Amino acid sequence: MKTLQHITWFVLLAGLSLCQAQEGYKPSSVNQQGKAFPQVNEEGQMRAQILAPEATSVKLDIGGVKYEMTKDAEGVWTGESAPQDVGFHYYQLNIDGASVPDPGTKYFYGAGRWGSGIEIPAADDAIFALRKVPHGKVVENLYFSEITQEWRRNFIYLPPGYMTSDERYPVLYLQHGSFEDETGWSSQGHANLILDNLIADGKAEPMIIVMDNGYAYKLDAPKEGRPESVFEEVMLDEIIPMTDKQFRTLADREHRAIAGLSMGANQTMRILMNNLDTFSYYGGFSGTSNYPSSDPIDVKTFLNGAFADGKTVDDQLNLFWLGLGTKEPAPFPKSVGAFKDMLDQEGINYSFYESPGTAHEWHTWRRCLYEYAQKLFED
Amino acid sequence: MKTLQHITWFVLLAGLSLCQAQEGYKPSSVNQQGKAFPQVNEEGQMRAQILAPEATSVKLDIGGVKYEMTKDAEGVWTGESAPQDVGFHYYQLNIDGASVPDPGTKYFYGAGRWGSGIEIPAADDAIFALRKVPHGKVVENLYFSEITQEWRRNFIYLPPGYMTSDERYPVLYLQHGSFEDETGWSSQGHANLILDNLIADGKAEPMIIVMDNGYAYKLDAPKEGRPESVFEEVMLDEIIPMTDKQFRTLADREHRAIAGLSMGANQTMRILMNNLDTFSYYGGFSGTSNYPSSDPIDVKTFLNGAFADGKTVDDQLNLFWLGLGTKEPAPFPKSVGAFKDMLDQEGINYSFYESPGTAHEWHTWRRCLYEYAQKLFED
């Protein structure tokens, strides 16, 4: 009898707990207007829902896990994920074996496709809140690359006041990660809103941000295997001259920064070290050029010995900034760790920021930009 | 025997024809990079394909018709539509009762949702081709409306040369249709590319184009029923002053045009006639303010008698331009027809353009913009 009472009590508690969790679900902030699903609760779980009356199996596919959804009498399938890290995650639905975007969300480019996203609220979402402060503009710029012989596109953030002043501004070249594109930083990355807020609060200098596409190959590059990237060439010979020609930039290394996330951190570090006459500020968010290795770095051979004369490198750079989420998976912690060890050994100063409770995802990179942008172009 | 020969011949021909049609399918121009499906053939049919091994029914849903798709041994479903009109169409897939976007396409806002689109090639696609000519920029502009007490967004086309000159430009305010938004004209509408090409060819004056969202309601508008639109107020008191303040405009009625498609044609005609001191050029693409009526217009009461003094209206307007697709459904042909009858009776000059072979869809409106923009701001 006592056992039965315990069980009853447990069941009641469990039911109550479930009920409370369900009441706590709210529509995600990146849903399409008027769409009630997907939803998120305070524990960071997401709940998806879709009408699929004739389906026999519907799954919610997020973070590498497929969660079974269940059908009600009207043919509406509902399912919840385990708690997710705060921030933005790509996900999809799987309907009888078909992987498709959730019709409830806006769409974002990542994981090599346009697809659904969900936003798990974080305590520091105010860094990209749409506040009543002066807002910069995001400009879509189409250009033909003579190097790749293809049309390319970038997005350019112009700070508040740009359109109505004659002022010149420093420039940050800011790159996305692998399987992402030039849309990421001003969409799920909120680079524009982060800068608007920092500038309004007097925490960052007004600056131009150029967000380009890190994939660039010669038209005649072999289709088999991994083609050689010509992104550095495009950046140096096309993107920077075009930016300096079309916008009111301060066109020297003292007013030029380059940064990127993951693949973009790797790429921009190489570009920086090959072109220290062009850039004086660096930011590497969740990545370094020794990726994916975690081995101790041989400074004589790494990037053709670019870091071998530590003192000269240190003198030349105004800022060498690294950031990483505390929950990043292998190989990032050890690979970035090996890189830091090399900097320490060479006596090169750097900043290292850790994003608490986030992995290799956009909330880490939003925080990185928020921290990094405050250190740029200080006189 | 003769009959049998005939049948054999017919079957052979049919098989050959089918084979040729299949070979003629090519990936749609608005697919995601690297996606082979959906495809389009020269007859204007579309072919969709999706892996859904456990599904029992998959349909291609386009133009109000659901086409059954068929499954192969690997669980890949394939299906074709009937021939579609040239131009851009919204569509979706239906998997065991679930209506979802096709993971093969880019996504567009229309029909009240972000979803898939397909482009059926037209003979005149060159009007929006990405050519090696100087390109303008599309600027994303966020603003807080004091009237609606909400954040709003518009996109602003700045013509080639804007960023590097001190010149002032005339402005076209260009509106989307119902269940669409501020993204339509510079995405599936290609307003920027149409103008880039016209300007490069010396066929249109360089101009600024402001593309806003036609849905605007007071925050305290009743949630039940149809709330009263305050878009005219937002346009006159917020959008135009903001545009004139932030961009180098020629800020008078002689250098200001207003146009829209469908719902936007209806809205902008009302705004025009209430504000003839503000605009001197009008364009109505697939719509007029007597919509949905096809009855003869009582000029004394229509829009509070705005057209009653035909001579004055005619003197005041630099251009009154109407366009319509030859395949538009009811009530558009008769409703626009009734409106034209009224203009004829009042002796008001107007241009009327017919888009051959297109209905109430984007290719009609791209052609309208192409024709209309050539008539604007001529000295």
Side-chain angles (χ1 to χ4, degrees), chain A residues 32-33 35 50-57 59 94-103 105-107 109 112-115 130-133 135-142 144 146 149 151 156 158 162-164 166 186 192-193 196 245-248, chain B residues 32-33 35 50-57 59 94-103 105-107 109 112-115 130-133 135-142 144 146 149 151 156 158 162-164 166 186 192-193 196 245-248:
Chain A
Q32 294 186 36
Q33 198 180 15
K35 294 289 176 79
I50 189 165
L51 176 72
E54 292 126 47
T56 53
S57 166
K59 299 187 185 88
N94 188 283
I95 302 171
D96 283 345
S99 290
V100 293
D102 184 336
T105 75
K106 292 178 184 165
Y107 302 119
Y109 192 80
R113 63 164 188 251
W114 283 95
L130 186 51
R131 287 164 48 194
K132 283 196 194 178
V133 298
H135 286 279
K137 312 256 184 267
V138 176
V139 177
E140 183 190 35
N141 177 51
L142 302 168
F144 186 81
E146 295 296 336
Q149 288 293 308
W151 282 96
I156 296 151
L158 300 176
Y162 182 96
M163 289 293 179
T164 50
D166 293 323
S186 59
N192 50 329
L193 297 177
D196 289 341
K245 189 178 165 192
Q246 295 196 4
F247 299 95
R248 296 191 314 273
Chain B
Q32 295 186 35
Q33 200 180 13
K35 294 289 175 79
I50 189 165
L51 176 72
E54 292 125 46
T56 53
S57 165
K59 300 187 184 87
N94 187 282
I95 303 171
D96 283 345
S99 291
V100 293
D102 184 336
T105 76
K106 293 177 185 166
Y107 302 119
Y109 192 80
R113 61 163 189 254
W114 284 95
L130 186 52
R131 287 165 48 195
K132 283 196 193 177
V133 297
H135 285 279
K137 313 255 184 269
V138 177
V139 177
E140 182 190 36
N141 178 49
L142 302 168
F144 186 81
E146 294 295 337
Q149 288 292 309
W151 282 95
I156 296 151
L158 300 177
Y162 182 96
M163 288 294 179
T164 50
D166 292 324
S186 59
N192 49 330
L193 297 176
D196 289 341
K245 188 179 165 190
Q246 296 196 3
F247 299 96
R248 296 191 313 273

Side-chain angles (χ1 to χ4, degrees), chain A residues 223-236:
Chain A
K223 300 291 172 200
E224 303 297 311
R226 199 173 177 179
E228 188 191 359
S229 172
V230 291
F231 181 61
E232 179 171 343
E233 212 175 323
V234 172
M235 173 64 81
L236 270 288

